[in-house]
PDB file of all heavy atoms in Angstrom:
ATOM      1  N   SER A 321      -7.265  26.436 -54.062  1.00  0.00           N
ATOM      2  CA  SER A 321      -8.025  27.822 -54.208  1.00  0.00           C
ATOM      3  C   SER A 321      -7.368  28.883 -53.186  1.00  0.00           C
ATOM      4  O   SER A 321      -7.896  29.875 -53.069  1.00  0.00           O
ATOM      5  CB  SER A 321      -9.414  27.603 -53.924  1.00  0.00           C
ATOM      6  OG  SER A 321     -10.077  26.816 -55.004  1.00  0.00           O
ATOM      7  N   GLY A 322      -6.308  28.367 -52.587  1.00  0.00           N
ATOM      8  CA  GLY A 322      -5.643  29.392 -51.735  1.00  0.00           C
ATOM      9  C   GLY A 322      -5.974  29.244 -50.253  1.00  0.00           C
ATOM     10  O   GLY A 322      -5.643  30.178 -49.447  1.00  0.00           O
ATOM     11  N   ILE A 323      -6.782  28.339 -49.903  1.00  0.00           N
ATOM     12  CA  ILE A 323      -7.181  28.197 -48.565  1.00  0.00           C
ATOM     13  C   ILE A 323      -6.299  27.188 -47.895  1.00  0.00           C
ATOM     14  O   ILE A 323      -6.031  26.045 -48.290  1.00  0.00           O
ATOM     15  CB  ILE A 323      -8.642  27.685 -48.456  1.00  0.00           C
ATOM     16  CG1 ILE A 323      -9.588  28.701 -49.047  1.00  0.00           C
ATOM     17  CG2 ILE A 323      -9.026  27.428 -46.971  1.00  0.00           C
ATOM     18  CD1 ILE A 323     -11.044  28.212 -49.098  1.00  0.00           C
ATOM     19  N   PRO A 324      -5.689  27.595 -46.785  1.00  0.00           N
ATOM     20  CA  PRO A 324      -4.661  26.638 -46.095  1.00  0.00           C
ATOM     21  C   PRO A 324      -5.261  25.446 -45.542  1.00  0.00           C
ATOM     22  O   PRO A 324      -6.349  25.369 -44.949  1.00  0.00           O
ATOM     23  CB  PRO A 324      -4.017  27.535 -44.913  1.00  0.00           C
ATOM     24  CG  PRO A 324      -5.070  28.521 -44.630  1.00  0.00           C
ATOM     25  CD  PRO A 324      -5.759  28.904 -45.927  1.00  0.00           C
ATOM     26  N   ASP A 325      -4.489  24.337 -45.715  1.00  0.00           N
ATOM     27  CA  ASP A 325      -4.832  23.059 -45.049  1.00  0.00           C
ATOM     28  C   ASP A 325      -4.435  23.055 -43.667  1.00  0.00           C
ATOM     29  O   ASP A 325      -3.301  23.302 -43.263  1.00  0.00           O
ATOM     30  CB  ASP A 325      -4.178  21.967 -45.924  1.00  0.00           C
ATOM     31  CG  ASP A 325      -4.459  20.554 -45.303  1.00  0.00           C
ATOM     32  OD1 ASP A 325      -5.132  20.408 -44.292  1.00  0.00           O
ATOM     33  OD2 ASP A 325      -3.931  19.603 -45.960  1.00  0.00           O
ATOM     34  N   PHE A 326      -5.403  22.664 -42.668  1.00  0.00           N
ATOM     35  CA  PHE A 326      -5.014  22.664 -41.332  1.00  0.00           C
ATOM     36  C   PHE A 326      -3.755  21.838 -40.999  1.00  0.00           C
ATOM     37  O   PHE A 326      -3.020  22.262 -40.102  1.00  0.00           O
ATOM     38  CB  PHE A 326      -6.139  21.969 -40.531  1.00  0.00           C
ATOM     39  CG  PHE A 326      -7.319  22.887 -40.256  1.00  0.00           C
ATOM     40  CD1 PHE A 326      -7.539  24.084 -41.149  1.00  0.00           C
ATOM     41  CD2 PHE A 326      -8.250  22.676 -39.288  1.00  0.00           C
ATOM     42  CE1 PHE A 326      -8.583  25.033 -40.815  1.00  0.00           C
ATOM     43  CE2 PHE A 326      -9.367  23.656 -38.971  1.00  0.00           C
ATOM     44  CZ  PHE A 326      -9.437  24.703 -39.807  1.00  0.00           C
ATOM     45  N   ARG A 327      -3.598  20.649 -41.657  1.00  0.00           N
ATOM     46  CA  ARG A 327      -2.528  19.703 -41.233  1.00  0.00           C
ATOM     47  C   ARG A 327      -1.306  19.683 -42.132  1.00  0.00           C
ATOM     48  O   ARG A 327      -0.461  18.861 -42.047  1.00  0.00           O
ATOM     49  CB  ARG A 327      -3.178  18.295 -41.135  1.00  0.00           C
ATOM     50  CG  ARG A 327      -4.044  18.315 -39.903  1.00  0.00           C
ATOM     51  CD  ARG A 327      -4.976  16.978 -39.874  1.00  0.00           C
ATOM     52  NE  ARG A 327      -5.834  17.025 -38.789  1.00  0.00           N
ATOM     53  CZ  ARG A 327      -7.019  17.657 -38.668  1.00  0.00           C
ATOM     54  NH1 ARG A 327      -7.290  18.386 -39.712  1.00  0.00           N
ATOM     55  NH2 ARG A 327      -7.695  17.675 -37.625  1.00  0.00           N
ATOM     56  N   SER A 328      -1.289  20.507 -43.294  1.00  0.00           N
ATOM     57  CA  SER A 328      -0.213  20.534 -44.200  1.00  0.00           C
ATOM     58  C   SER A 328       1.007  21.102 -43.537  1.00  0.00           C
ATOM     59  O   SER A 328       0.829  21.861 -42.498  1.00  0.00           O
ATOM     60  CB  SER A 328      -0.590  21.225 -45.396  1.00  0.00           C
ATOM     61  OG  SER A 328      -0.731  22.559 -45.200  1.00  0.00           O
ATOM     62  N   VAL A 329       2.157  20.985 -44.105  1.00  0.00           N
ATOM     63  CA  VAL A 329       3.315  21.628 -43.698  1.00  0.00           C
ATOM     64  C   VAL A 329       3.243  23.166 -43.495  1.00  0.00           C
ATOM     65  O   VAL A 329       3.660  23.762 -42.529  1.00  0.00           O
ATOM     66  CB  VAL A 329       4.551  21.398 -44.662  1.00  0.00           C
ATOM     67  CG1 VAL A 329       5.757  22.050 -44.156  1.00  0.00           C
ATOM     68  CG2 VAL A 329       4.824  19.856 -44.646  1.00  0.00           C
ATOM     69  N   ASP A 330       2.522  23.768 -44.494  1.00  0.00           N
ATOM     70  CA  ASP A 330       2.233  25.166 -44.426  1.00  0.00           C
ATOM     71  C   ASP A 330       0.899  25.541 -43.981  1.00  0.00           C
ATOM     72  O   ASP A 330       0.552  26.759 -43.939  1.00  0.00           O
ATOM     73  CB  ASP A 330       2.426  25.777 -45.898  1.00  0.00           C
ATOM     74  CG  ASP A 330       3.804  25.420 -46.330  1.00  0.00           C
ATOM     75  OD1 ASP A 330       4.785  25.688 -45.690  1.00  0.00           O
ATOM     76  OD2 ASP A 330       3.896  25.167 -47.480  1.00  0.00           O
ATOM     77  N   GLY A 331       0.206  24.734 -43.325  1.00  0.00           N
ATOM     78  CA  GLY A 331      -1.218  24.905 -42.807  1.00  0.00           C
ATOM     79  C   GLY A 331      -1.237  25.499 -41.483  1.00  0.00           C
ATOM     80  O   GLY A 331      -0.181  25.914 -40.860  1.00  0.00           O
ATOM     81  N   LEU A 332      -2.544  25.747 -41.038  1.00  0.00           N
ATOM     82  CA  LEU A 332      -2.705  26.452 -39.781  1.00  0.00           C
ATOM     83  C   LEU A 332      -2.059  25.628 -38.570  1.00  0.00           C
ATOM     84  O   LEU A 332      -1.681  26.314 -37.608  1.00  0.00           O
ATOM     85  CB  LEU A 332      -4.188  26.520 -39.484  1.00  0.00           C
ATOM     86  CG  LEU A 332      -5.062  27.370 -40.525  1.00  0.00           C
ATOM     87  CD1 LEU A 332      -6.527  27.376 -40.027  1.00  0.00           C
ATOM     88  CD2 LEU A 332      -4.442  28.762 -40.523  1.00  0.00           C
ATOM     89  N   TYR A 333      -1.989  24.438 -38.643  1.00  0.00           N
ATOM     90  CA  TYR A 333      -1.499  23.532 -37.534  1.00  0.00           C
ATOM     91  C   TYR A 333       0.052  23.746 -37.398  1.00  0.00           C
ATOM     92  O   TYR A 333       0.614  23.172 -36.410  1.00  0.00           O
ATOM     93  CB  TYR A 333      -1.880  22.112 -37.689  1.00  0.00           C
ATOM     94  CG  TYR A 333      -3.248  21.890 -37.150  1.00  0.00           C
ATOM     95  CD1 TYR A 333      -4.364  22.377 -37.925  1.00  0.00           C
ATOM     96  CD2 TYR A 333      -3.570  21.269 -35.963  1.00  0.00           C
ATOM     97  CE1 TYR A 333      -5.635  22.145 -37.527  1.00  0.00           C
ATOM     98  CE2 TYR A 333      -4.825  21.056 -35.538  1.00  0.00           C
ATOM     99  CZ  TYR A 333      -5.829  21.555 -36.236  1.00  0.00           C
ATOM    100  OH  TYR A 333      -7.165  21.400 -35.810  1.00  0.00           O
ATOM    101  N   ASN A 334       0.723  24.399 -38.294  1.00  0.00           N
ATOM    102  CA  ASN A 334       2.138  24.590 -38.163  1.00  0.00           C
ATOM    103  C   ASN A 334       2.529  26.092 -37.941  1.00  0.00           C
ATOM    104  O   ASN A 334       3.551  26.447 -38.113  1.00  0.00           O
ATOM    105  CB  ASN A 334       2.807  24.068 -39.419  1.00  0.00           C
ATOM    106  CG  ASN A 334       2.890  22.528 -39.536  1.00  0.00           C
ATOM    107  OD1 ASN A 334       3.567  21.811 -38.864  1.00  0.00           O
ATOM    108  ND2 ASN A 334       1.821  21.999 -40.198  1.00  0.00           N
ATOM    109  N   GLN A 335       1.444  26.888 -37.700  1.00  0.00           N
ATOM    110  CA  GLN A 335       1.692  28.274 -37.401  1.00  0.00           C
ATOM    111  C   GLN A 335       1.744  28.522 -36.035  1.00  0.00           C
ATOM    112  O   GLN A 335       1.104  27.618 -35.114  1.00  0.00           O
ATOM    113  CB  GLN A 335       0.626  29.148 -38.157  1.00  0.00           C
ATOM    114  CG  GLN A 335       0.769  29.016 -39.595  1.00  0.00           C
ATOM    115  CD  GLN A 335      -0.500  29.679 -40.317  1.00  0.00           C
ATOM    116  OE1 GLN A 335      -1.046  30.690 -39.791  1.00  0.00           O
ATOM    117  NE2 GLN A 335      -0.586  29.532 -41.572  1.00  0.00           N
ATOM    118  N   LYS A 336       2.133  29.674 -35.452  1.00  0.00           N
ATOM    119  CA  LYS A 336       2.236  29.816 -34.043  1.00  0.00           C
ATOM    120  C   LYS A 336       1.351  30.882 -33.574  1.00  0.00           C
ATOM    121  O   LYS A 336       1.172  32.016 -33.975  1.00  0.00           O
ATOM    122  CB  LYS A 336       3.740  30.329 -33.711  1.00  0.00           C
ATOM    123  CG  LYS A 336       4.835  29.213 -33.924  1.00  0.00           C
ATOM    124  CD  LYS A 336       6.298  29.673 -33.559  1.00  0.00           C
ATOM    125  CE  LYS A 336       7.254  28.665 -33.811  1.00  0.00           C
ATOM    126  NZ  LYS A 336       8.514  29.172 -33.479  1.00  0.00           N
ATOM    127  N   TYR A 337       0.431  30.458 -32.541  1.00  0.00           N
ATOM    128  CA  TYR A 337      -0.474  31.363 -31.877  1.00  0.00           C
ATOM    129  C   TYR A 337      -0.368  31.117 -30.317  1.00  0.00           C
ATOM    130  O   TYR A 337       0.430  30.240 -29.887  1.00  0.00           O
ATOM    131  CB  TYR A 337      -1.882  30.998 -32.349  1.00  0.00           C
ATOM    132  CG  TYR A 337      -2.126  31.090 -33.769  1.00  0.00           C
ATOM    133  CD1 TYR A 337      -1.925  30.093 -34.748  1.00  0.00           C
ATOM    134  CD2 TYR A 337      -2.405  32.413 -34.330  1.00  0.00           C
ATOM    135  CE1 TYR A 337      -2.156  30.289 -36.064  1.00  0.00           C
ATOM    136  CE2 TYR A 337      -2.607  32.624 -35.716  1.00  0.00           C
ATOM    137  CZ  TYR A 337      -2.486  31.559 -36.541  1.00  0.00           C
ATOM    138  OH  TYR A 337      -2.718  31.566 -37.880  1.00  0.00           O
ATOM    139  N   ASP A 338      -1.095  31.928 -29.521  1.00  0.00           N
ATOM    140  CA  ASP A 338      -1.019  31.770 -28.197  1.00  0.00           C
ATOM    141  C   ASP A 338      -1.573  30.342 -27.778  1.00  0.00           C
ATOM    142  O   ASP A 338      -1.151  29.849 -26.646  1.00  0.00           O
ATOM    143  CB  ASP A 338      -1.922  32.830 -27.419  1.00  0.00           C
ATOM    144  CG  ASP A 338      -1.199  34.217 -27.637  1.00  0.00           C
ATOM    145  OD1 ASP A 338       0.053  34.299 -27.844  1.00  0.00           O
ATOM    146  OD2 ASP A 338      -1.945  35.225 -27.468  1.00  0.00           O
TER     147      ASP A 338
END
Side-chain angles (χ1 to χ4, degrees):
S321 290
I323 298 176
D325 177 357
F326 280 21
R327 291 168 182 79
S328 69
V329 175
D330 300 316
L332 298 182
Y333 279 71
N334 289 278
Q335 299 176 15
K336 295 181 180 179
Y337 299 94
D338 291 339

